[in-house]
Amino acid sequence: MKRSATPYLFLLPYLAIFALFWAWPIIESLLLSFQNTRVYPPVWDISINWGRILGDAAFWDALRNTVLILVIQVPLMLALATGLAIGLNSQLLRAKGFFRFAFFAPVVVGAVAYSAVFRLLFNQNGAVNAALGLELNWIFDPVGAMVVIITTLTWRWTGYNAIIILAGLQSIPKDIYEAAEIDGASPWQQFWRITLPSLRPVLLFCLVLSIIGTLQLFTEPWLITNGGPGTATTTLGVYLYRQGFQNINFGYASTIAYAITLLALVFSIIQLRLFGRDQ
Amino acid sequence: MKRLLVLGAALALTLASAQQMQGNPNLRGEITVWSWDIAAKALEANIPGFNKLFPNVKVKVLDIGNQATYDRGLAGCAAGGGDLPDVYSIENNEAEVFWARFPNCFTDMNTLQPAASTLRNQFPAFKWTELTVGNKVFAMPWDSGPVVMFYRRDIYNQAGVNPNTIRTWDDFIAAGKKIAAATNNRVKVGVIANGQDDEWFRMLANQNSCFYFNNEASAVTVNQPGCVTALETVKKLIDAGIVMQGGWNEQIQAFKAGTVATSMFGAWYEGTIRSNAPEQSGKWGVYPMPASRPGGVRAANLGGSALAIPASSRNKEAAWAFVRYALGTTEGQVTMLKEYGLVPSLLAATRDPYVSQPQPYWGNQRIWQVVLGTLGNVPAARGTQFFQEARAIMVKTQADYVAGRFPSAKAALDAAAQQISQATGLPIAR
């Protein structure tokens, strides 16, 4: 009895911190989602937030925008990152270290700083319009604002994913390619038949990270477009923040947080069903 | 409305003697003040005058930024009143959410000596609406944002537009077309933040005695006639092609580049123009906002702040003395007006000689007389604790209506009212 308690005693400090800073907030926010937090003191009202969310046009707008980024930006970025990784892995490329750093660098830049830069670039009098010879008011146009957000995200995260994919590329045994070459496979065939299948676990990893990142997306739309114009770039993360910290409605914010969690769960199950069966 | 103004002025005169504060060298201690940007600097400018009366109270003003003041205040209140200053700056529109969610976080100023209710008549009534809950007063009115038109004299002249003849929004549109024609369409007559904000809608709705909610905060009124007119006017202005669309930064860039001939804003925008475009000194002027119909109200309010005293303050007496000096005396208010362009809402301050002085930057116009002259005409409007939610819905509704997604302004606002009602649980007023 005493002997079996010892390891738990050693674990106790961790378990206490875990319970306090991890488990308790998760349970607390679940409880909050069943309370009306717009009155003082908050009162139990099982349906006030969960009843609201399904009929809330703003929530559906946020969900639609998030899914839109998910289906456009994530595949675009992963395709670019794969291409970039193959380029960085090429025998022909000199100064590999420099290029690898250069493409990874955007992740190092503070989100606030580069968001400000992108807002300036896409200003009506900004460098992008000057370069393209346009007079588009990007940030004040629903489609334009979304294009800016997707461009920004792609700029920031492509290099990061490319480095992960590069690591995957380097773990593919070289003799497979040598054998393929002897068999007369073209580089294109090698890519489709060897490289891509071998990269599957790495790409799945990048995909899962990107999907979770997109579901939490907050910084760029908040700082560049402020979720606008209207609700054109309001993501679930922005909507959650608005409800929690601008409207001070923690109950409804918790409900949104749980809705996002449920979505993440659904996406994860779909991914594992589609790609991860043999892992 | 006229009567209200006269009454206000009369009250201001009779109370002018009460604007002198009694000092007290026995009051001692140190107080901290949280504020932001020029508001913090303006409060700081008041410390020397305050210390003449209260030499043993040390005031420390911390400029922690507008958003941080709000966020940290909220966090402090949510944590039961910890880590809050002795004097807390709060925007009127955002104020009610604090009183509603954290009613014990701030001091009821009627429990202090002298009670805040004795100062009630020294400010216009509309400034108190958001700061009062029942008999409790949670904050003291500070600056206000009477809306005026800041315009470029040289551009108006060039186009042959006399601002004195702009009395209605139709006149304004006609003037905008003249200016566009005279400048090859290079200069617009205003900047509307369509899709990012609904300031123009709010200013116009306020002018027409309409707002998101009624003044009892018991019903949604955003689809009432005054708001319908306001939204129609916003679309009319955009459709006429005489305004550009942009936010706060774009507007500053535009007036610096000389591509916009008018800015409509709360009068606190005076400092923004003056400090961003010092090279345009003498080129600017001010006139009252146009009315919705001939002879209609030409006043509205946008923005403005207040000072509150957190319940956790250890030196409420000293904090209250500072708040009353900075906001409740002509001396305090005029200091902030002079240095940083903060428009006093203290009625007695409108009688100060400084207010009637010509301002060199503004082509020697007596702009503060124009600005403060509108104060008594501003219809009351209430942000309520749901301000931010209603605003987010209106921003989208306005953008959709302007883009032609609703058959009429009434239909757009009916839909907005429905959404606001659903979000807040308040009924739509009949």
Side-chain angles (χ1 to χ4, degrees):
Chain A
M1 184 70 187
K2 208 179 163 198
R3 244 174 72 183
S4 63
T6 315
Y8 293 100
L9 272 177
F10 278 112
L11 276 174
L12 200 62
Y14 169 74
L15 287 176
I17 288 169
F18 175 83
L20 190 66
F21 291 105
W22 200 85
W24 181 58
I26 286 178
I27 294 164
E28 172 76 14
S29 64
L30 181 66
L31 297 180
L32 273 175
S33 77
F34 295 110
Q35 292 173 48
N36 180 0
T37 54
R38 288 200 296 204
V39 292
Y40 177 85
V43 291
W44 288 96
D45 190 337
I46 303 296
S47 63
I48 186 160
N49 297 316
W50 287 100
R52 176 180 170 184
I53 199 164
L54 292 177
D56 182 358
F59 173 77
W60 289 105
D61 281 348
L63 181 60
R64 196 198 55 222
N65 294 330
T66 308
V67 170
L68 197 69
I69 295 172
L70 217 55
V71 297
I72 296 176
Q73 192 266 336
V74 173
L76 176 79
M77 174 182 68
L78 291 182
L80 278 174
T82 310
L84 194 60
I86 290 168
L88 288 173
N89 200 29
S90 164
Q91 307 294 329
L92 305 169
L93 186 73
R94 290 180 176 274
K96 279 200 178 101
F98 169 76
F99 281 109
R100 283 174 195 177
F101 168 74
F103 285 110
F104 190 75
V107 180
V108 183
V109 180
V112 177
Y114 88 83
S115 293
V117 171
F118 269 83
R119 185 166 172 132
L120 281 176
L121 286 175
F122 283 94
N123 202 321
Q124 199 163 12
N125 311 316
V128 173
N129 273 347
L132 299 176
L134 294 173
E135 261 193 45
L136 206 65
N137 204 347
W138 295 88
I139 286 159
F140 283 84
D141 176 79
V143 179
M146 190 51 105
V147 170
V148 173
I149 295 296
I150 287 177
T151 310
T152 314
L153 289 172
T154 308
W155 176 82
R156 184 163 202 223
W157 293 108
T158 300
Y160 173 84
N161 285 295
I163 297 295
I164 298 176
I165 296 169
L166 180 62
L169 281 177
Q170 290 175 340
S171 70
I172 305 172
K174 292 225 165 34
D175 39 3
I176 301 181
Y177 288 102
E178 282 161 16
E181 215 141 301
I182 293 165
D183 289 343
S186 69
W188 199 236
Q189 282 173 320
Q190 289 179 27
F191 172 76
W192 283 108
R193 299 287 170 86
I194 303 169
T195 313
L196 217 50
S198 314
L199 280 179
R200 201 163 87 163
V202 178
L203 284 174
L204 181 64
F205 174 73
C206 289
L207 184 66
V208 171
L209 280 191
S210 304
I211 288 176
I212 293 173
T214 307
L215 285 174
Q216 300 173 339
L217 185 62
F218 170 75
T219 316
E220 289 84 358
W222 183 255
L223 291 172
I224 299 174
T225 58
N226 204 355
T231 54
T233 55
T234 298
T235 58
L236 288 170
V238 169
Y239 192 52
L240 185 152
Y241 182 86
R242 282 233 162 95
Q243 287 297 335
F245 298 99
Q246 279 193 330
N247 305 341
I248 317 189
N249 190 358
F250 294 126
Y252 194 48
S254 301
T255 309
I256 297 165
Y258 267 89
I260 296 174
T261 311
L262 290 176
L263 277 172
L265 203 69
V266 169
F267 278 119
S268 304
I269 291 169
I270 294 173
Q271 283 157 31
L272 291 174
R273 281 279 160 85
L274 284 180
F275 307 105
R277 218 171 284 147
D278 48 11
Q279 247 65 54
Chain B
M1 271 317 159
K2 276 257 165 59
R3 242 177 58 206
L4 200 75
L5 180 67
V6 174
L7 188 72
L11 265 171
L13 271 177
T14 51
L15 289 166
S17 55
Q19 300 313 312
Q20 307 295 322
M21 241 181 112
Q22 295 283 309
N24 180 4
N26 293 327
L27 196 61
R28 41 187 79 240
E30 185 179 313
I31 57 168
T32 339
V33 182
W34 282 3
S35 199
W36 55 77
D37 308 327
I38 56 167
K41 288 191 192 135
L43 288 176
E44 212 149 26
N46 262 321
I47 296 175
F50 173 73
N51 277 149
K52 273 188 201 142
L53 297 172
F54 299 91
N56 295 315
V57 176
K58 202 174 162 221
V59 184
K60 238 171 73 187
V61 178
L62 299 179
D63 175 1
I64 63 173
N66 180 301
Q67 188 66 40
T69 302
Y70 180 76
D71 290 350
R72 282 176 68 181
L74 160 68
C77 286
D83 186 37
L84 288 172
D86 301 283
V87 177
Y88 181 76
S89 309
I90 195 161
E91 280 187 66
N92 272 46
N93 283 333
E94 291 169 342
E96 283 194 79
V97 87
F98 282 87
W99 326 144
R101 312 286 211 276
F102 309 110
N104 301 324
C105 195
F106 292 95
T107 311
D108 171 9
M109 289 177 161
N110 274 334
T111 63
L112 301 166
Q113 282 306 317
S117 56
T118 60
L119 305 166
R120 198 168 179 95
N121 296 330
Q122 300 181 24
F123 295 88
F126 80 92
K127 279 300 290 184
W128 289 104
T129 10
E130 286 148 330
L131 310 178
T132 315
V133 180
N135 295 325
K136 292 182 175 170
V137 174
F138 283 119
M140 175 113 150
W142 181 355
D143 65 321
S144 61
V147 173
V148 281
M149 315 298 280
F150 300 101
Y151 76 104
R152 280 283 296 268
R153 296 166 183 281
D154 51 338
I155 299 175
Y156 273 53
N157 273 341
Q158 184 197 336
V161 175
N162 177 1
N164 294 327
T165 62
I166 301 178
R167 296 194 182 93
T168 63
W169 285 108
D170 289 332
D171 298 341
F172 184 77
I173 291 172
K177 287 185 175 152
K178 266 178 142 177
I179 287 169
T183 60
N184 272 333
N185 216 14
R186 197 182 67 86
V187 177
K188 302 287 182 190
V189 79
V191 182
I192 294 184
N194 187 39
Q196 293 223 331
D197 211 326
D198 66 339
E199 299 151 336
W200 275 67
F201 170 75
R202 274 187 276 143
M203 291 187 268
L204 291 166
N206 186 202
Q207 162 181 58
N208 299 336
S209 295
C210 183
F211 203 58
Y212 304 149
F213 306 101
N214 63 4
N215 286 333
E216 292 73 45
S218 60
V220 179
T221 52
V222 76
N223 56 349
Q224 304 264 317
C227 290
V228 174
T229 308
L231 190 60
E232 278 167 351
T233 308
V234 169
K235 183 161 159 57
K236 242 197 307 191
L237 287 159
I238 293 175
D239 287 351
I242 53 163
V243 293
M244 65 174 84
Q245 296 182 46
W248 177 265
N249 292 322
E250 285 80 13
Q251 182 149 347
I252 291 173
Q253 284 166 5
F255 74 63
K256 264 198 85 83
T259 55
V260 65
T262 323
S263 289
M264 176 167 81
F265 254 130
W268 37 259
Y269 202 62
E270 188 267 345
T272 308
I273 296 179
R274 189 153 47 100
S275 57
N276 278 289
E279 73 282 358
Q280 292 174 11
S281 179
K283 291 186 176 167
W284 286 85
V286 159
Y287 65 95
M289 70 190 295
S292 286
R293 62 191 75 80
V297 176
R298 300 183 66 179
N301 182 68
L302 185 79
S305 299
L307 289 180
I309 299 175
S312 59
S313 164
R314 297 228 181 90
N315 204 340
K316 286 184 192 143
E317 215 182 323
W320 182 225
F322 181 69
V323 169
R324 278 189 300 131
Y325 174 78
L327 311 187
T329 68
T330 306
E331 194 187 348
Q333 289 271 17
V334 170
T335 303
M336 297 194 283
L337 174 70
K338 240 184 237 176
E339 305 282 334
Y340 298 103
L342 294 188
V343 182
S345 49
L346 181 74
L347 290 165
T350 66
R351 290 277 160 184
D352 191 83
Y354 178 77
V355 166
S356 50
Q357 277 174 27
Q359 301 297 326
Y361 186 89
W362 299 90
N364 285 323
Q365 193 184 351
R366 299 166 202 274
I367 61 160
W368 296 119
Q369 280 189 332
V370 180
V371 169
L372 293 167
T374 69
L375 212 56
N377 295 340
V378 175
R382 189 159 167 197
T384 81
Q385 63 159 317
F386 303 118
F387 174 79
Q388 295 279 10
E389 299 196 73
R391 179 170 156 258
I393 291 165
M394 246 337 279
V395 169
K396 179 161 169 20
T397 304
Q398 181 189 305
D400 284 349
Y401 172 64
V402 167
R405 278 185 215 116
F406 286 103
S408 68
K410 176 75 170 111
L413 290 171
D414 280 342
Q418 197 67 47
Q419 275 190 64
I420 295 173
S421 167
Q422 202 237 352
T424 60
L426 295 176
I428 302 170
R430 296 250 141 236

